[in-house]
Amino acid sequence: MRKKIVAGNWKMNGTLEEGQKLTSEIVNMVKDEVKGEVIIVLNPPYVHLQSVKKLIGDAGNIFLGAQNCSDKSAGAYTGEVSASMLASIGASYVIIGHSERREYFKEANEELTGKVKQALGNRLLPIFCCGEPLEIREKGNHVEYVTQQLTESLFGFSEGEMKKIVIAYEPIWAIGTGKTASSEQAQEMHAAIRKHLAGKFGKALASEISILYGGSCKPDNAEEIFSKPDVDGGLIGGASLKSRDFVDIIKSF
Ligand code: PGA
């Protein structure tokens, strides 16, 4: 059985107080309303990680994640945060290769391999993002583009390592735009990703990997998207900043 995961990516939003309020609301609502086995991951900005962790406490189904980590283990890299630091404060997951990092911070596929390596070496579970820009989608080359991202960043890992990686498919044209991929478009790509992983790592392993959808996922479209057989959850941006919306998305499973 694949893990069902809903992860909230807060991006660069919220003061400490706002982050604490949001976390408390989510923790309480989840306790009262969420049954079943969905894994929930909160990915606040680095500076809020420890206080969010405290508020999550021992809520067994809510985990802490970071939005990025360094591809280096330690040293003179001003401003960077290592995977071992994240693990030491209780993070369980880390988002790697978000399209905003690829675009604004020029993170390339090879560097992302280093980040995934650091995460795995420090017992963090990477949420590895992939996704195509609009012009690639319009040319019909989206499957090729995304599978190449996966090949270049992840195909050097062993089966044991690959098993721990969560994939998030996030079409760039759908992120923060209010334009969601249709559930058919999501399913097409998720199935193609799984097939691609199966080609390298075997069918059994590919069927165990959770593939999340991200891009304008909201309470009113989550149920339809999550109903597709190869969609195992979501990476939620904007809607994860509103406790009611985020928990309603979790409940769409
Ligand atoms: P969005 O962002 O839900 O605001 O579109 C998703 C993401 O970037 O992870």
Side-chain angles (χ1 to χ4, degrees), residues 14-86:
T15 60
L16 175 61
E17 202 180 316
E18 286 161 350
Q20 287 176 323
K21 180 169 176 281
L22 177 60
T23 307
S24 301
E25 288 171 1
I26 291 170
V27 168
N28 289 328
M29 285 182 194
V30 165
K31 205 188 301 157
D32 293 343
E33 303 172 28
V34 177
K35 317 251 170 314
E37 289 169 1
V38 183
I39 288 175
I40 299 154
V41 188
L42 302 184
N43 300 268
Y46 287 140
V47 286
H48 302 342
L49 282 167
Q50 277 185 288
S51 46
V52 168
K53 173 74 183 171
K54 237 180 238 161
L55 291 167
I56 293 173
D58 56 5
N61 50 350
I62 309 182
F63 295 86
L64 185 71
Q67 297 172 19
N68 181 31
C69 70
S70 174
D71 63 332
K72 312 286 194 305
S73 55
Y77 302 103
T78 302
E80 286 291 270
V81 171
S82 72
S84 66
M85 292 171 190
L86 297 173

Side-chain angles (χ1 to χ4, degrees), residues 202-239:
K203 222 173 168 178
L205 192 145
S207 74
E208 277 181 46
I209 292 179
S210 300
I211 307 177
L212 316 184
Y213 169 79
S216 299
C217 197
K218 302 276 184 290
D220 60 2
N221 58 30
E223 192 173 342
E224 166 70 19
I225 295 172
F226 294 172
S227 71
K228 294 296 174 190
D230 286 292
V231 179
D232 307 307
L235 180 54
I236 319 298

Side-chain angles (χ1 to χ4, degrees), residues 127-143:
I127 300 176
F128 183 85
C129 301
C130 55
E132 80 286 356
L134 185 60
E135 58 278 17
I136 297 288
R137 166 68 60 168
E138 282 172 344
K139 280 192 206 134
N141 294 335
H142 44 289
V143 169

Side-chain angles (χ1 to χ4, degrees), residues 38 102 105 115 124 129 133 163 175 184 216 222 228 236:
V38 183
R102 291 174 185 261
F105 304 97
K115 289 181 182 230
L124 294 175
C129 301
K163 218 187 259 184
I175 295 177
E184 288 76 22
S216 299
K228 294 296 174 190
I236 319 298

Side-chain angles (χ1 to χ4, degrees), residues 10 14 17 43 77 82 89 94 97 102 108-109 165 171 188 194 199 206 208 210 212 223 233 240 242 246 253:
W10 296 5
E17 202 180 316
N43 300 268
Y77 302 103
S82 72
I89 56 150
V94 58
R102 291 174 185 261
N109 290 337
I165 300 173
E188 180 210 23
R194 205 176 299 289
E208 277 181 46
S210 300
L212 316 184
E223 192 173 342
S240 75
K242 295 185 192 124
F246 186 58
F253 266 121

